[in-house]
Amino acid sequence: MSLISQKLQAVHTSIQAAAGAVSRRPDSVALLAVSKTFGADAVMQAIAAGQRAFGENYLQEAIDKMAAVKVALTGTQYSGVLLEWHFIGPIQSNKTKPIAEHFDWVHTVDREKIAQRLSAQRPPHLPPLNVCLQVNISGEASKSGLAPSAVLDAARAIIGLPQLTLRGLMTIPEPTEDEQKQRAAFRQTRELLQQLQSELPLHAAQLDTLSMGMSADMAAAIAEGATIVRVGSAIFGHRAKPESQIE
Ligand SMILES: *Cc1c(COP(=O)(O)O)cnc(C)c1O
């Protein structure tokens, strides 16, 4: 068994424990494996261990990796598997077209203009792109994401876009080791999603996603209702390259 496969198993065990602690079904929490800075070989090991959904932050790196994984899968027992690629990095408006063409999900929509471009550029033969609005729940000046007070208007503006499906909210709270503080930020995000569901009742069923929790705070996020946890280093190990040197 590969190291990645062992680590994946450990992450699944942690998800089960965190879900069980609040009487949630473990299968109500999806695991997004964040493979940024790791190569196609690492993704192949995760696929062999059963993982199908991968998160990427850097567009060119992601597109190259998708192609390399496709080649590596050819002729193997996994050649028919359906992978899901999620874009979780900051979006520049001149990069929306390749994002709309290559990904199944985008977690980091933080303005209407980006949503409009993604919808207009989503190829018509593909299903609508699943998107989340990114919320700056801790109000950090340096973080991207909508202010909580701006989320409802943004949701109203993008929910009718034909080639997008608004699925919910994503957040990256201010890092803290205090579990109560972690939970408070995730709880606020959950309450914001509940507010969207009640203000947009015709769309409540599709607003089913809370993308929150990473390697260091995934238990707190699950306790507060995360439906997708985005986990990188706990699966693939420490990221060697400083992220600022990529792209
Ligand atoms: C890198 C990254 C993750 C994964 O972080 P880890 O601490 O490695 O689990 C999750 N979400 C986003 C948006 C990221 O950029």
Side-chain angles (χ1 to χ4, degrees):
M1 205 164 57
S2 75
L3 186 59
I4 286 174
S5 142
Q6 289 174 32
K7 288 187 161 181
L8 260 173
Q9 256 185 26
V11 169
H12 281 296
T13 302
S14 305
I15 291 174
Q16 280 161 17
V22 290
S23 303
R24 294 186 58 192
R25 292 166 43 138
D27 65 4
S28 65
V29 185
L31 173 59
L32 181 65
V34 177
S35 41
K36 65 177 175 209
T37 80
F38 292 95
D41 51 332
V43 172
M44 289 297 292
Q45 287 182 47
I47 291 170
Q51 182 64 30
R52 297 291 179 264
F54 295 91
E56 291 284 341
N57 292 54
Y58 310 104
L59 184 59
Q60 195 54 52
E61 180 199 331
I63 290 172
D64 293 347
K65 200 179 302 179
M66 288 175 195
V69 168
K70 198 169 178 181
V71 169
L73 287 171
T74 305
T76 73
Q77 59 182 299
Y78 306 108
S79 61
V81 298
L82 288 176
L83 300 179
E84 239 180 47
W85 293 95
H86 295 230
F87 191 77
I88 62 171
I91 305 174
Q92 294 166 278
S93 60
N94 63 346
K95 299 278 180 66
T96 49
K97 188 161 187 277
I99 293 175
E101 289 170 348
H102 286 92
F103 286 85
D104 304 293
W105 283 73
V106 177
H107 292 226
T108 41
V109 173
D110 63 358
R111 50 202 194 276
E112 196 184 330
K113 179 183 163 197
I114 294 289
Q116 283 168 346
R117 292 177 64 95
L118 288 171
S119 179
Q121 293 168 335
R122 178 70 167 171
H125 68 275
L126 294 178
L129 185 61
N130 295 293
V131 301
C132 292
L133 286 173
Q134 182 175 357
V135 192
N136 184 358
I137 205 74
S138 312
E140 287 172 276
S142 60
K143 281 274 168 65
S144 43
L146 288 154
S149 60
V151 165
L152 180 58
D153 281 349
R156 283 193 209 283
I158 75 170
I159 210 152
L161 292 173
Q163 279 289 79
L164 300 187
T165 304
L166 180 63
R167 296 294 298 270
L169 301 177
M170 177 273 205
T171 198
I172 311 171
E174 191 171 16
T176 166
E177 285 180 7
D178 180 338
E179 197 177 343
Q180 289 313 312
K181 285 190 188 151
Q182 292 175 358
R183 285 192 58 159
F186 293 134
R187 186 179 318 123
Q188 287 165 33
T189 311
R190 168 170 44 84
E191 288 167 357
L192 202 51
L193 182 66
Q194 288 166 337
Q195 190 194 339
L196 286 189
Q197 290 163 341
S198 66
E199 297 281 344
L200 300 164
L202 295 178
H203 304 278
Q206 79 183 51
L207 292 166
D208 59 1
T209 300
L210 281 171
S211 165
M212 55 190 201
M214 321 204 299
S215 297
D217 56 11
M218 113 187 144
I222 291 169
E224 296 295 346
T227 65
I228 301 180
V229 289
R230 308 177 310 268
V231 179
S233 47
I235 298 170
F236 296 109
H238 179 66
R239 283 183 290 275
K241 285 184 256 181
E243 290 178 23
S244 57
Q245 287 181 13
I246 300 162
E247 278 197 340

